[in-house]
Amino acid sequence: MKKAILLAALSFPLVAAAPAPDPAQLRATITGLVGFGTRHTLSTTTDPKRGIGAARRWAAGRFEGFSKACGKCLTVETIGDTFTGPRAPNGVRVEDVIAIQKGTGDPDRVIIIQGHIDSRVNDVMDVTTDAPGANDDASGSALVMESARLLSREKFAGTIVYALLSGEEQGLWGGKLLADTAKARGWKVAAVLNNDIVGNTHGIGGEHVDDKVRVFSEGIRFLGDPKLQRQIGEEDDSPSRALAKVAVATAAADPAIGLEALAIRRPDRFQRGGDQTPFLEAGIPAVRFTEATENYDRQHQTIRTENGRRYGDTIDYVDFPYLAKVTALNMAVARRLAAAPAAPTSAAISGAVSDDTKVTWPAVPGVAGYRIRWRRADGLAWTDSRDVGADVTSVDLVRTNIDDHFFAVSSLAAGGEESLPTFAGAPLRPTPGSTAK
């Protein structure tokens, strides 16, 4: 009975109030980034005051300052590689600036908060014209730096990586560079929170939306077995979709954030992409945060006025209180996942032609318990749950029909923090005449 009472308490972890993101700090960061004129990936890297090289060095210096304030809790690095493509036919060295806040309990488990530091105008090959990129994507970069400033004051079991990526506008190269680096270093990346265009609240059609943010996620996994996913009904429960649902639930659970997170069920905006894509291609859970309403006159535009219409991505169009809300949501999601244990690597169900369902999963080291979640198969959000102890790896759900419900299992920390839910499915049966085992 005592164990049951303890596990029930884990469902509602109490989190101490943390400092809120400061709109003034976000403004100062974007002002600094805009001040470099252009941050085009192919712009100068030697000029001390202009171009992407100066911007990256300045950002690294900001990270170093945060690290000094927290007793050297951040390891600041600049990683790089050379990429060649249609938007860089002669090749270009792409560099990402990262700050690593090493976890105290499970440092190989990593949460990434990222945005891209590069900018552009109409002509993607124009490396000299001013390209302030205040919203695309100095807003995301400012969010990353403000998250580092505040979260570095706390300690987490898992590692948080704060990343400013280059080369997004030329080919999503900064995202690929970091995804490759994560693989080479053996990071177990639990979640990637990509922030791109997160500071505007006035849409191209005149609408004003400052209380919502979109969270894009893939359903059918890029790296996986689509046939298996369809057979077990996982289309809305891939790891990335589970991450998006966590963002939605986190926003709903904390009115102080002041945002509704909208789970947009596609990897990105229609026929567009972002730096979450290379992580999805590597099989890593990743989502993209983007403002709820976009103004295309302020994206990839050379600054000008035509027929009384203003174009250009300038700082006067950034809504800093709104950007602070999106920053707060990123921090809350990262805080939860960095404090949680690793998710179960898999989960399975059995109970065909029965009215009961058995859920099983492999043990996860260091957990305080597990949460079994289920919902009716005609719904999207988890509605029911049962908590069990750390020594339990299977549960029988009586009179819960396997055909009419979906199931998942997550891990719980002692403080109640919950990992991403791992969708529970069964492996495909061999087809007649196959050699599958």
Side-chain angles (χ1 to χ4, degrees), residues 241-251 329 333 336-337 418-421:
R241 190 62 52 80
L243 176 56
K245 291 180 180 181
V246 165
V248 170
T250 301
L329 178 55
V333 173
R336 165 184 163 168
L337 295 178
E418 182 181 3
S419 72
L420 292 182

Side-chain angles (χ1 to χ4, degrees), residues 73-108:
C73 72
L74 299 177
T75 300
V76 182
E77 299 182 44
T78 298
I79 59 175
D81 201 356
T82 299
F83 291 83
T84 303
R87 295 182 176 184
N90 297 320
V92 62
R93 181 169 175 80
V94 170
E95 294 185 345
D96 296 342
V97 181
I98 62 175
I100 303 171
Q101 183 177 349
K102 190 173 182 178
T104 58
D106 187 6
D108 287 338

Side-chain angles (χ1 to χ4, degrees), residues 283-300:
I284 295 170
V287 296
R288 173 182 177 143
F289 289 84
T290 296
E291 62 206 25
T293 183
E294 296 183 66
N295 191 315
Y296 310 111
D297 289 353
R298 302 170 191 171
Q299 296 176 17
H300 303 171

Side-chain angles (χ1 to χ4, degrees), residues 181-204:
T181 299
K183 180 179 179 180
R185 297 187 181 186
W187 293 351
K188 300 171 184 174
V189 182
V192 176
L193 309 179
N194 186 45
N195 291 272
D196 196 350
I197 312 180
V198 288
N200 167 69
T201 55
H202 292 85
I204 191 74

Side-chain angles (χ1 to χ4, degrees), residues 321-376:
Y322 173 76
L323 178 56
K325 295 178 186 178
V326 183
T327 304
L329 178 55
N330 270 258
M331 289 172 53
V333 173
R335 182 182 288 111
R336 165 184 163 168
L337 295 178
T345 56
S346 62
I349 51 175
S350 57
V353 298
S354 167
D355 205 29
D356 306 333
T357 299
K358 186 181 188 69
V359 185
T360 60
W361 61 93
V364 179
V367 302
Y370 302 97
R371 179 166 294 145
I372 298 85
R373 291 186 174 275
W374 66 96
R375 68 177 189 268
R376 280 183 13 179

Side-chain angles (χ1 to χ4, degrees), residues 300-321:
H300 303 171
Q301 295 286 345
T302 304
I303 299 173
R304 66 195 189 281
T305 301
E306 294 180 357
N307 300 318
R309 187 167 178 168
R310 291 180 60 192
Y311 295 85
D313 187 0
T314 54
I315 195 170
D316 50 315
Y317 292 127
V318 177
D319 185 328
F320 291 98

